[in-house]
Amino acid sequence: AQSVTQLGSHVSVSEGALVLLRCNYSSSVPPYLFWYVQYPNQGLQLLLKYTSAATLVKGINGFEAEFKKSETSFHLTKPSAHMSDAAEYFCAVKERGGADGLTFGKGTHLIIQP
Amino acid sequence: ETGVTQSPTHLIKTRGQQVTLRCSSQSGHNTVSWYQQALGQGPQFIFQYYREEENGRGNFPPRFSGLQFPNYSSELNVNALELDDSALYLCASSLAAQEYEQYFGPGTRLTVT
């Protein structure tokens, strides 16, 4: 069974500071990994995904994440936070070839301080 | 290209009633998945449909059922509603050959009183 752990239900950073959102996963086989963002009262928007190519994945809005197999981690970073980045962020894992859908973490609420 | 759409946007039902939620997949997508997102939680996988058949299911009771139509649109039906069914219900579509590309709709907010 797969699982995702997001460390920190709330993360607060100053505008212009580095954003680091942590995600660790558990999977019996190399999975697909994802980061989604959710703004209030909206659905999920895909930020980036890891599918087995480069371990450093670049996404939209300046976000990137690095797949580290040895640490079973897929942390999300952005060099400089913007006020518009304030949202809920979800890390998710999916078994390759399976029909079990995505398994999501509980989410991290990102707060940007002016 | 039309994205994933869901209807209705909001819905209020009484405990014990039945509800049907609808989803239109992104153009060309043949697989649809449904998720339940309780307040303050991450989405939880309910089930997935491919070629009009359920081919994957999460830990949800049988009173959660679905349909996928030939045009790849989908319905989620919930019978005997319980208070804990209050949540945002999200639909996601994808191509079976590109299972890692799931596009989500805006969701339907269901409130059970």
Side-chain angles (χ1 to χ4, degrees):
Chain A
Q2 305 160 104
S3 65
V4 174
T5 301
Q6 291 185 239
L7 298 175
S9 59
H10 291 77
V11 169
S12 180
V13 302
S14 299
E15 189 174 17
L18 171 72
V19 175
L20 171 61
L21 303 183
R22 301 178 186 272
C23 172
N24 288 90
Y25 70 92
S26 172
S27 178
S28 57
V29 296
Y32 296 124
L33 292 161
F34 309 84
W35 276 100
Y36 283 87
V37 62
Q38 187 176 37
Y39 297 98
N41 300 313
Q42 294 188 25
L44 300 172
Q45 180 182 13
L46 179 65
L47 280 177
L48 48 79
K49 62 182 181 291
Y50 168 76
T51 60
S52 79
T55 56
L56 182 61
V57 181
K58 295 188 183 298
I60 62 172
N61 301 338
F63 285 94
E64 62 182 36
E66 186 172 9
F67 171 66
K68 292 187 176 181
K69 183 179 179 180
S70 61
E71 299 177 8
T72 60
S73 68
F74 191 56
H75 302 331
L76 181 71
T77 60
K78 182 174 180 177
S80 178
H82 192 273
M83 295 300 291
S84 62
D85 295 327
E88 193 78 19
Y89 291 79
F90 292 96
C91 180
V93 61
K94 187 186 186 311
E95 179 183 347
R96 293 167 186 269
D100 288 342
L102 300 171
T103 299
F104 286 86
K106 292 186 176 182
T108 297
H109 186 63
L110 178 62
I111 301 163
I112 310 297
Q113 305 277 10
Chain B
E1 185 178 271
T2 306
V4 179
T5 59
Q6 294 185 241
S7 63
T9 305
H10 295 87
L11 201 53
I12 300 175
K13 288 287 189 178
T14 302
R15 189 172 51 184
Q17 287 187 318
Q18 178 266 344
V19 69
T20 297
L21 310 182
R22 295 178 173 81
C23 171
S24 291
S25 299
Q26 184 159 317
S27 179
H29 284 185
N30 55 14
T31 302
V32 65
S33 303
W34 285 90
Y35 294 81
Q36 180 196 66
Q37 185 179 18
L39 199 61
Q41 300 294 319
Q44 284 194 294
F45 174 66
I46 302 174
F47 46 55
Q48 175 176 291
Y49 276 79
Y50 171 64
R51 291 186 174 178
E52 302 175 47
E53 289 194 5
E54 182 182 301
N55 70 341
R57 191 176 185 93
N59 189 26
F60 280 82
R63 59 189 186 84
F64 285 79
S65 63
L67 286 171
Q68 185 185 31
F69 300 101
N71 66 353
Y72 304 132
S73 65
S74 175
E75 287 182 354
L76 164 65
N77 298 291
V78 186
N79 293 322
L81 283 167
E82 301 177 358
L83 297 179
D84 285 348
D85 295 334
S86 295
L88 180 68
Y89 288 85
L90 296 163
C91 165
S93 73
S94 60
L95 279 170
Q98 293 183 324
E99 56 177 338
Y100 46 80
E101 293 275 358
Q102 292 201 13
Y103 294 89
F104 283 81
T108 293
R109 173 73 63 187
L110 172 64
T111 302
V112 182
T113 62

